[in-house]
Each structure stands twice: as C-alpha cells, then as structure tokens.
Amino acid sequence: MCGIVGYIGKKEAWPALIKGLERLEYRGYDSSGIALLEKGEFLIYKKKGRVAELSKFVKSRNNNALSGGVGIAHTRWATHGVPSDINAHPHLSNGGDIVIVHNGIIENYLSIKKILIGKGYKFVSDTDTEVLANLIEDIKKNTKVTIDEAVRLALLQVVGAYAILVLSKNEPGTMIVAKVGSPAVIGIGKGEYFIASDATPIVSHTKKVIYLEDGSMGIIKSNKRGGKLILKVKTIKNKILKNPYVHTLKTKIEELEKGGYPHFMLKEIFEQPESLRNTIRGRIIQNKGNMKFGGLEKFKKELKNLKQLTITGMGTARFTGLIGEYAFEELAGIPTKVEYSSEFAYRNTASPLHTGLIAISQSGETADTLNAVKKAKSEKILTLGIVNVIGSTIARVVDAGIYNHVGPETAVASTKASTSQALLVIMLALYFGIMRGLPRSKNQEIIKEIAKLPALAEKILKKADVIKKLAKKYKNYNNFFFLGRKYNAGTAMEGALKMKECSYIHAEGCNSAELKHGPISLIDKNFPSLVIAPTDSIYEKNKTHIEEIKARGGKVIALTSEGNSEMEKIADDVIYIPKTLEMLTPILAFIPMQLLAYYIAVERGNDVDKPRNLAKSVTVE
Ligand code: M6R
C-alpha cells in the first residue's frame, strides 16, 4: 500500500522519480505526488488519480524542463483521508522546511497532532503523514539538531508502521529513509542513490541494493556542499550498522514491461508454463523420485519432528493454503490447518511444541502475514515462507524459505504467483511425505506428474479463445457461484476472488457440498455457477451437485477433465483441463478461471491491471 521513491545525485531527479512511480503504481493508485529540491526551494506537485495524471500535470506546468537533483515521490492507497490533491503526498511542514512521503500508518498520530495544534501548528490534510512532517520540524526547531537526528527523535515517539523519505530545505544535501513494518530498498549508483518501496524502480539504474532492516534508517549526505554522497545506516535507537549487506539484483528490465500484451495480467497468465517450470527447476530429482529445497536443508531434523502445521496467508495465498492442507494430510500425515494471517496474529493459538507455520505471500510484505510470522517466532514456532519477492520482509524474517521464482508479478490480481504457490505447497507436502516414509512408487508418480504441468498449462493457454467466447456470453450476469470440493474447494474460492476483483461481478466461492445447506436458495436463471468437477475421487458427487443446480434453473459451466464428454449433456458450457493427478488439478483449473475473469473484465471495460479500490501489496493491517 503506497509506494515511495527517492533520488539524490548529480542527475535530474524527475525522470527516475516519475518512472519509479509508474513501476510502483501497483501498490496504490488513487493519487500521487512529487517534491523536488531546486536552488534551496521545494517544488511540490500532487494530483488525484493515476500517476499519468501527475505526469501530464507536471509537464503542462514545466514544459518538460523540471530540474532538481534531489527529490521524493509517492503513489497512494488512501488510509487517512479520501483520495484528493490535498491528501496526496508529499506533505510539507508548517514552516516549509520539511517534506515527507510515507507508506504505512502512524497509529498515535491523533495524540501527536493534538500536542502540535496546542503549539500552534495548522493542518491542511486529513493524513497522519502531515503530523509526522510537523513533528520533525518541531523537534528540529526546538533542539537545533540536524535533520537526520530530528527524524530519529521523532520516530522514537511514533507508534505504527512506516517507510518514510524526508528532505529538509535547509539541509539540501541530505535525504533520510527510515522503516518499521513497511519496506524500503536503497539502490547504490555511481555517486547517486535511489530509494524505493521495492527494487523495481531501481533495477534500471543499478543492481546493487541494500534492503533496510526493520527499525533502521539510512542517511545519505554529502560530506560538503555538492561533494561526495555518503550513506550511513543506523538503528532508530542510534546504533551504527557497519557494512550493511549489499545484494545484487537479478531482475531483468523485460520482466517489468508488458512485452506486447495489452495488460500485465494477460502477460502473466501466459507466462505460467515458464513460471511453473521455474518453480519446479532444481527441486525435483525425477530419476531418484526425490525432492530438494536448498533453503530447508538446515532444518531437516526439525521439519521431521513437526507434529502439526498451520498454513497462513491472505487472499489468494490463503486459498492456495487450503489446497496444501489436503496435500499435507494425504502425503505426510501431518494434521494441518489453514488460518487467515490476520486472525492467527490475534488469537490464542496455544501451539504446542513441534508446530510449524508456513506463511504464503507473493509480495512478502503483507502486513497481516508478517504479523503472523512474528507472532509464531515469538512463540518459538518454526516458520517457513513461500514467497515470490526476493529480499522481501517475510522472506528475511522466516526461519527458512522457498522462493517461487516466477519473476515480478505486476497485475494486482495474482495469477502466475498463485499457480506457483499452489504447486509449491503441494511439493512441500511431498517433501515432508518423503521424509516420513511415503512409498517410493507414490512419490515417483507425483513427481512425474508435476514435471508435466508446464506443458499442460501451455495446452490450456492454446485454447484461451474458447474462454474468451464464454466471457462474452457471461459478461452481463451480476452474480456467480464458484463451486468445488476437496482439493478444489480452495480453487473455487480463488475463482470467485479473481472474478470479483477483476470484473466487479459479485462472486461466491463455496464448497459444492455446502450449497444445499443454504446458498442454493440463491440459484435461479440469473445466478450461474462454475463447478470444478474433474474426473477425480469426488467426481460423482460433483455431478450430483450440478444436477441439483440444473434442477433449480441455474446455468452451469462445468470445468472438467479432457475426455469427459458426459458433461456436455448436463452442463450449459464445458471447460476442459488436461488429465492429471487429483491433487494437481487446482493448478490447471486456476488458469481458465483467470482467463474468464480477465476477459469478462475487459468486456466490461474495467482497468484489469489496477482494479478499483485495491493495491497489490497490502502493507497495512
Ligand atoms: O502478497 P500476498 O501474496 O501476501 O498477497 C495476499 C493477497 O493480498 C493477494 O493474494 C490478493 O488477494 C490478490 N489481489 C489476489 O489476486
């Protein structure tokens, strides 16, 4: 939620900042803004709407000649105050000395605001961020410390989550970044620094980055006016952190572009054969019927001793956990439950010894999931992560982890990360199963089928036009059921989520057996259902559920296995997926459901990559 970008160096800041905002727009897109420091004065531009609006506005005012070698910028997902020009960041302090951008929430901002109002400060926005700008100014004015020290002292008073960038007009050669809870990455260029919420705005400038740790700050200062810039990293409690680890980015620029597709979502859907291949690569040893997860090797003994598991995540990530729940029980015989991260963090889980937590998160920054991991760690629960974004907070906080390796996922609706998450959680269950004596013939069979998945995904994508036609037929319905059982109960939830977030059609994901316990009363000719009914162990039951819907006048799209022509007689429309093992059907079933949501959203004229009210990375609770 919200993206921040900063530049300090000898070049013009504007190009890096505006491009950086475009890259970070997935994090929030209701308003954006930019502040440049030029000849001792701030130039601040803010605009409600997309980054493109800001860009147009700035260009119209400056004839494309915006100068300033220091600047900060922000793209917003509103928390405090409606999206508006005024509430957009950056925020300026009353005296005009401090400008700040902020991703996160200052929980105690009201009490600080009250004190500042008592001192005569005035506020123009509804944001918590403006309060922080004035708190910093107040401290700086009263204690006569430098800007970095004023920021540090202010942060000692703040409760909440934040990644901030701060500039002072009176100390133009300094930029400060600090973080607790929200991410911040510092890119180290030649005589210049780039700061951002993730590495995507940085990668085209430099591959060398530092991921700032929670509770720390980076101070970039020139040793003399216009001199060499020096970065100092320390904790907010004032302990110098010598030689912070410098990572080398591997992301390629092409991965961040649409590559000829009309939307990132479609590109990412079509990348799935490759992303599944990358998820599998190096992890299955087909001839030996074995599995390998480098990141888990160190913990093999503890993993073997685990007596129960909790899988946690939010949204799509949690739904893939529901698939994993069945796999862990079937393959490894470990009692497993799935928990919303938001709830795990706040309930008395009373987890006994030998409990493990598997946190699933594409971004690795979801606040709820991060809190769940932190809570588990405080209870000495072994934490594992399935995370896509390399170097993200969850990836760094968990005891051991597995990366998806699917590359950057830009569209807000998760597609290639979700199939990879579903696959990895099953592969992890298999890994546990092998450790616990799963018969060799069984694991060999599963591994063989896993290896086929990329080619099967390709086969589904070749028939995308069939789904495109279906989208035209179903685009005007206002409601949809997505139904499935066992491994595909989670799949149904995911199908419904994809449909609602992209197309804005109300969709419910429901266990198909649950339907007759109440939800079936909603069925009529205007309420179609997509039933996931591959020819598996519960096919006959799902067939009955379809008959029940048809008997009540409901329309049915059946998603079934290739070769099952019987469905053509029962359902109104049929989507086929290639045959695979029951536990792997969700991975294939996700793909036509993604296509359906995508094409319906396009038909309805929605902004598919950035659906209304959403943000890709949910870094607030
Ligand atoms: O980054 P995460 O995987 O932790 O994100 C979790 C959810 O916010 C995410 O899956 C969300 O539901 C997506 N928009 C689904 O398409």
Side-chain angles (χ1 to χ4, degrees), residues 11-15 17-18 34-38 42-45 54-55 57-59 61-69:
K11 295 190 199 123
E12 297 296 347
W14 160 253
L17 294 178
I18 198 74
I34 198 158
L36 293 166
L37 190 47
E38 168 69 349
F42 284 130
L43 282 170
I44 301 177
Y45 297 95
L54 175 75
S55 184
F57 176 64
V58 173
K59 283 177 184 164
R61 296 281 176 109
N62 293 280
N63 219 3
N64 279 337
L66 197 55
S67 56

Side-chain angles (χ1 to χ4, degrees), residues 112-133:
I112 300 173
K113 189 171 182 176
K114 209 167 145 197
I115 297 168
L116 290 171
I117 288 173
K119 291 181 172 187
Y121 282 86
K122 301 258 182 304
F123 293 88
V124 290
S125 77
D126 306 315
T127 65
D128 47 349
T129 308
E130 193 188 3
V131 175
L132 186 53

Side-chain angles (χ1 to χ4, degrees), residues 255-316:
E255 291 178 300
L256 304 173
E257 310 286 351
K258 282 193 201 139
Y261 285 90
H263 298 101
F264 278 108
M265 183 173 173
L266 193 64
K267 175 186 176 228
E268 286 157 8
I269 291 174
F270 273 85
E271 277 173 352
Q272 287 175 108
E274 190 52 24
S275 60
L276 287 170
R277 225 165 263 133
N278 291 338
T279 301
I280 297 166
R281 183 168 296 125
R283 289 166 168 169
I284 58 175
I285 309 162
Q286 232 179 316
N287 52 354
K288 292 196 179 146
N290 212 341
M291 315 236 3
K292 197 177 155 205
F293 285 113
L296 304 188
E297 287 300 299
K298 222 170 81 190
F299 291 90
K300 255 190 150 163
K301 202 166 139 221
E302 286 94 326
L303 296 178
K304 215 169 167 182
N305 288 335
L306 288 179
K307 302 247 181 312
Q308 63 173 44
L309 280 172
T310 300
I311 305 179
T312 197
M314 296 301 282
T316 291

Side-chain angles (χ1 to χ4, degrees), residues 35-91:
L36 293 166
L37 190 47
E38 168 69 349
K39 296 191 184 116
E41 288 303 326
F42 284 130
L43 282 170
I44 301 177
Y45 297 95
K46 313 204 281 185
K47 206 80 204 124
K48 184 180 166 192
R50 300 292 163 90
V51 171
E53 297 297 318
L54 175 75
S55 184
K56 242 193 282 162
F57 176 64
V58 173
K59 283 177 184 164
S60 70
R61 296 281 176 109
N62 293 280
N63 219 3
N64 279 337
L66 197 55
S67 56
V70 184
I72 57 178
H74 186 270
T75 178
R76 181 170 187 248
W77 186 87
T79 58
H80 298 71
V82 295
S84 66
D85 292 357
I86 287 181
N87 286 332
H89 300 212
H91 288 284

Side-chain angles (χ1 to χ4, degrees), residues 1 265 313-319 341 360-367 369-370 386-389 394 409 411-415 417-418 421 494 497-498 501-502 611 614-618:
M1 313 243 126
M265 183 173 173
M314 296 301 282
T316 291
R318 191 180 70 87
F319 299 143
S341 309
I360 306 179
S361 175
Q362 187 285 130
S363 61
E365 301 294 348
T366 299
T369 309
L370 180 59
I386 295 180
V387 175
N388 187 38
V389 178
I394 295 174
E409 189 182 68
V412 166
S414 182
T415 54
S418 67
Q421 287 167 342
E494 169 60 6
L497 175 63
K498 217 89 302 172
E501 70 181 330
C502 300
L614 285 173
K616 184 149 186 77
S617 182
V618 186

Side-chain angles (χ1 to χ4, degrees), residues 174-186:
T174 304
M175 180 179 288
I176 295 120
V177 51
K179 75 148 249 164
V180 168
S182 305
V185 188
I186 304 174

